[in-house]
Amino acid sequence: MGVKHYFKLWIIFLSCNLQSKISHKLDFILGILATIFMQGCSFIFLWSIFSQIDVLSGWSFYEISILFGYISIANGLEEIFLNGTWELPGIYIRRGELDRLLTRPVNPLFLILANCMELHGVGSFLFGIVIMIHSFVQLGASLSFVNILFVFISIISSTVIFFSINLITGTLSFWVTDSMPAMVMVQRLNQLGQYPINIYNKVIKFVLTWVVPFAFVSYFPVDFILNSNMLGLFSPIFACVFFSLAYSFFKLSLKRYESAGG
Amino acid sequence: MYKSFKATMLKYKALTSCKIQETMTFRFGFFTSFIASLVQTFVMLYVWNEVFSQKQTIMGFDKSQMLTYLVVSQCLNAIYGWYNATERNISARIKSGDIVLDLVKPINFNFARFYEGIGMTIIQIIFSGCVLLLFIVFNPSVATPTSFMHFIAFLLSAFFGYVCMFSISLITGLLSFVISGYWGLYYLKKAIIDLLSGALIPIGLLPLVLQRFADYLPFKNIIYTPTMIYMGRISINEIVKQMSIQVIWAFILWQLCKYFYRIMIRRVTINGG
């Protein structure tokens, strides 16, 4: 099956998802509002702090806003397109729904992702874009075409890194009874990436850079755009490496899958 | 009269102990979700450290006071965590149709949810208390309550705050009878409460518009008031006044719960049989 076929299939899934969302209209609208409010809430915290000081660890308000917007966009994208990993421990493995997917002539990971699109991620995606553009304008940064291209590519890479981390922790469910707590734990760590990593101590910095690479998700790419920190260039490479690691882990674990029966 | 009261209490107490047992059965998930909620506290701890390396005081808070505020308010916030969100419970039961079992029982629906919530809250309090204690022991900046009297007042005030918080949560839960889903509502509520209750940041630091909002809404009774009492930042007269406000809000919100219950019960649809 070629890419074209997959794309067609994906569009069908998208329209199914949309239809089911629209049947619960109010819940859907509230969901979008909620994602905006949640991002807005941390943003107001940031604003309040910067009403007291001018610079946080060498970063100005608008620079950190860009970091904020950047994460919101990547989070939103991940929620919209790649949220299915969250269903892996409970629905697919413990309840054995994975059986159903394995009988189909399509890549199971594709089905897992296409089945579950959390469209309310649109909220944090749009919020991020508004914040980011506004901050760039306020900073008076003149972005060249190459820069914009880099922002584009690195946001995609960040989304992929988010996803790969979730895929790894989700796939752990093949090996232990329930890896959901581990997933939540690791995912929560991404809050650490909302601020310049220099405010943390050495241990946390090391973990964020090399163990759970949330620094590559947000801090390094934005640091590259603003201060040309060359580590930011590694973000796309990191994304590729991380994704192939996560995917081979998933493939390997799939061989181990014993259905829950029923 | 007394006997019937005792019998009623026994029914509700059974709900509480059921919930405690349920939580203990799923303790691993509960425990990790609790730890995960601490990540935010750590991030903010580092942010404040950085801020206070530039400035001595902010809005009359010095570093030690700000860190105390942060830890106490976050611990209070953790007590009303994701795991004992009543709306989650109600919504799951609506989805599965089990809600019918709650409705046919000869007990008050709202009270039953309250006592269920208490079960999990007891465990959350133990966890939060331990975290607070650890912070006090290992971080010299985080202070103990100002005096024993303040500590008692803090506990009392936190209880009133809990009733307010629970009522808001219950109203949200009752709304999910109509909305068919709780996700959006839950996080919307959470974001608003985090901001306007002073869970993230002392209310005095918020933008002015939001401060005005916070003054007229019940949310700051949930976290801001107890935390300020803990820190001894308000006088005795003021404590009495603030607590009366808390009681009034708790009463109003509880009446609202009753009202919402009466409306929503007419619109309930039961799935399955």
Side-chain angles (χ1 to χ4, degrees):
Chain A
M1 283 218 311
V3 176
K4 211 171 139 196
H5 190 91
Y6 270 103
F7 184 70
K8 245 187 185 160
L9 211 63
W10 190 81
I11 294 289
I12 295 171
F13 272 104
L14 178 68
S15 91
C16 283
N17 268 297
L18 256 177
Q19 277 164 28
S20 87
K21 287 287 177 237
I22 283 167
S23 68
H24 303 282
K25 226 175 272 150
L26 200 52
D27 188 40
F28 182 48
I29 294 169
L30 284 173
I32 293 180
L33 268 182
T35 47
I36 295 177
F37 265 62
M38 279 195 293
Q39 302 290 345
C41 191
S42 0
F43 191 71
I44 290 175
F45 175 70
L46 185 72
W47 184 92
S48 307
I49 281 181
F50 272 95
S51 67
Q52 303 295 326
I53 54 170
D54 298 325
V55 194
L56 188 75
S57 164
W59 287 53
S60 72
F61 174 62
Y62 288 113
E63 286 172 327
I64 296 195
S65 300
I66 291 176
L67 193 60
F68 247 79
Y70 185 95
I71 298 180
S72 287
I73 297 173
N75 259 333
L77 284 177
E78 199 248 356
E79 229 172 310
I80 300 168
F81 298 114
L82 305 163
N83 203 53
T85 44
W86 287 96
E87 308 288 346
L88 210 52
I91 294 178
Y92 287 117
I93 297 173
R94 207 139 47 119
R95 249 201 272 159
E97 289 279 310
L98 196 58
D99 298 6
R100 204 163 44 86
L101 304 190
L102 290 178
T103 56
R104 295 181 187 167
V106 187
N107 185 321
L109 187 60
F110 170 81
L111 284 174
I112 290 172
L113 296 178
N115 253 328
C116 171
M117 299 177 205
E118 286 300 350
L119 297 173
H120 54 230
V122 172
S124 73
F125 177 72
L126 291 178
F127 182 87
I129 288 195
V130 170
I131 292 288
M132 204 165 169
I133 292 179
H134 178 71
S135 308
F136 270 125
V137 171
Q138 290 292 328
L139 278 176
S142 54
L143 289 177
S144 64
F145 175 71
V146 180
N147 274 339
I148 292 172
L149 192 72
F150 176 78
V151 172
F152 192 73
I153 292 173
S154 72
I155 284 181
I156 304 277
S157 321
S158 303
T159 313
V160 171
I161 298 179
F162 266 140
F163 162 69
S164 308
I165 292 172
N166 276 345
L167 184 60
I168 291 175
T169 46
T171 303
L172 278 177
S173 299
F174 284 103
W175 308 80
V176 297
T177 352
D178 187 6
S179 72
M180 196 62 170
M183 267 185 109
V184 176
M185 254 326 242
V186 174
Q187 197 246 9
R188 282 298 189 92
L189 288 178
N190 86 35
Q191 290 177 325
L192 291 164
Q194 285 183 336
Y195 291 92
I197 61 167
N198 284 328
I199 68 171
Y200 302 116
N201 65 25
K202 281 200 189 96
V203 181
I204 299 183
K205 254 198 248 176
F206 180 81
V207 170
L208 281 182
T209 314
W210 304 113
V211 184
V212 196
F214 282 124
F216 280 97
V217 173
S218 51
Y219 176 73
F220 288 135
V222 176
D223 202 25
F224 174 75
I225 302 165
L226 295 172
N227 310 318
S228 23
N229 173 355
M230 286 303 165
L231 267 176
L233 286 175
F234 287 101
S235 176
I237 302 169
F238 230 80
C240 294
V241 173
F242 234 71
F243 176 70
S244 33
L245 266 176
Y247 187 63
S248 11
F249 182 49
F250 176 74
K251 276 272 192 181
L252 179 83
S253 307
L254 208 56
K255 285 200 188 113
R256 224 187 96 103
Y257 176 65
E258 298 163 346
S259 167
Chain B
M1 178 65 190
Y2 173 72
K3 228 176 185 173
S4 77
F5 175 73
K6 213 174 152 191
T8 321
M9 281 322 284
L10 219 63
K11 277 190 272 183
Y12 290 120
K13 240 167 86 187
L15 284 172
T16 306
S17 63
C18 266
K19 203 70 193 177
I20 293 179
Q21 279 166 22
E22 191 191 311
T23 315
M24 290 320 284
T25 317
F26 299 107
R27 57 186 168 263
F28 190 60
F30 173 79
F31 185 65
T32 36
S33 107
F34 184 82
I35 299 287
S37 71
L38 285 176
V39 173
Q40 197 186 23
T41 313
F42 272 98
V43 174
M44 285 158 67
L45 207 70
Y46 279 104
V47 172
W48 282 129
N49 263 329
E50 193 66 30
V51 171
F52 279 100
S53 68
Q54 299 176 29
K55 252 186 141 173
Q56 288 299 317
T57 57
I58 288 177
M59 291 269 168
F61 283 83
D62 63 19
K63 182 178 171 186
S64 148
Q65 284 166 331
M66 190 58 95
L67 294 190
T68 308
Y69 183 92
L70 171 70
V71 173
V72 174
S73 65
Q74 290 285 313
C75 283
L76 273 179
N77 204 18
I79 289 176
Y80 326 115
W82 158 256
Y83 258 79
N84 57 350
T86 305
E87 57 265 52
R88 220 176 110 246
N89 207 333
I90 295 180
S91 171
R93 293 173 79 81
I94 292 176
K95 222 174 195 171
S96 66
D98 285 343
I99 194 83
V100 69
L101 299 174
D102 295 328
L103 295 176
V104 296
K105 277 177 194 150
I107 45 177
N108 181 309
F109 182 84
N110 290 357
F111 270 118
R113 299 290 81 71
F114 181 75
Y115 281 95
E116 242 175 40
I118 290 270
M120 200 163 277
T121 303
I122 288 173
I123 299 176
Q124 299 261 33
I125 288 174
I126 295 170
F127 272 107
S128 286
C130 289
V131 170
L132 183 58
L133 214 62
L134 284 176
F135 266 109
I136 290 174
V137 173
F138 289 105
N139 192 333
S141 297
V142 179
T144 51
T146 320
S147 69
F148 187 68
M149 195 281 292
H150 279 98
F151 182 61
I152 298 295
F154 162 73
L155 291 183
L156 206 60
S157 164
F159 173 74
F160 294 141
Y162 176 77
V163 177
C164 290
M165 177 66 200
F166 173 80
S167 306
I168 294 169
S169 191
L170 185 58
I171 292 171
T172 323
L174 290 170
L175 283 176
S176 65
F177 276 110
V178 222
I179 293 176
S180 71
Y182 73 98
W183 195 95
L185 214 53
Y186 172 81
Y187 278 102
L188 202 58
K189 183 205 81 178
K190 186 172 160 38
I192 293 173
I193 289 184
D194 273 355
L195 206 59
L196 296 183
S197 70
L200 288 180
I201 195 169
I203 289 177
L205 282 170
L206 290 174
L208 273 174
V209 195
L210 290 178
Q211 283 187 40
R212 286 286 148 285
F213 270 121
D215 280 340
Y216 293 110
L217 291 170
F219 306 118
K220 77 178 204 184
N221 294 304
I222 299 168
I223 287 168
Y224 185 70
T225 307
T227 311
M228 290 312 249
I229 293 176
Y230 178 100
M231 294 173 66
R233 285 182 76 89
I234 41 185
S235 63
I236 308 242
N237 286 338
E238 190 67 8
I239 290 179
V240 175
K241 189 183 147 205
Q242 289 297 333
M243 274 199 191
S244 323
I245 296 177
Q246 282 188 308
V247 172
I248 293 169
W249 266 118
F251 179 77
I252 294 175
L253 288 168
W254 185 254
Q255 293 304 319
L256 269 177
C257 287
K258 279 188 182 167
Y259 174 71
F260 268 96
Y261 177 72
R262 246 177 291 149
I263 298 180
M264 293 307 162
I265 203 63
R266 285 186 221 134
R267 308 191 51 165
V268 67
T269 31
I270 311 272
N271 298 327

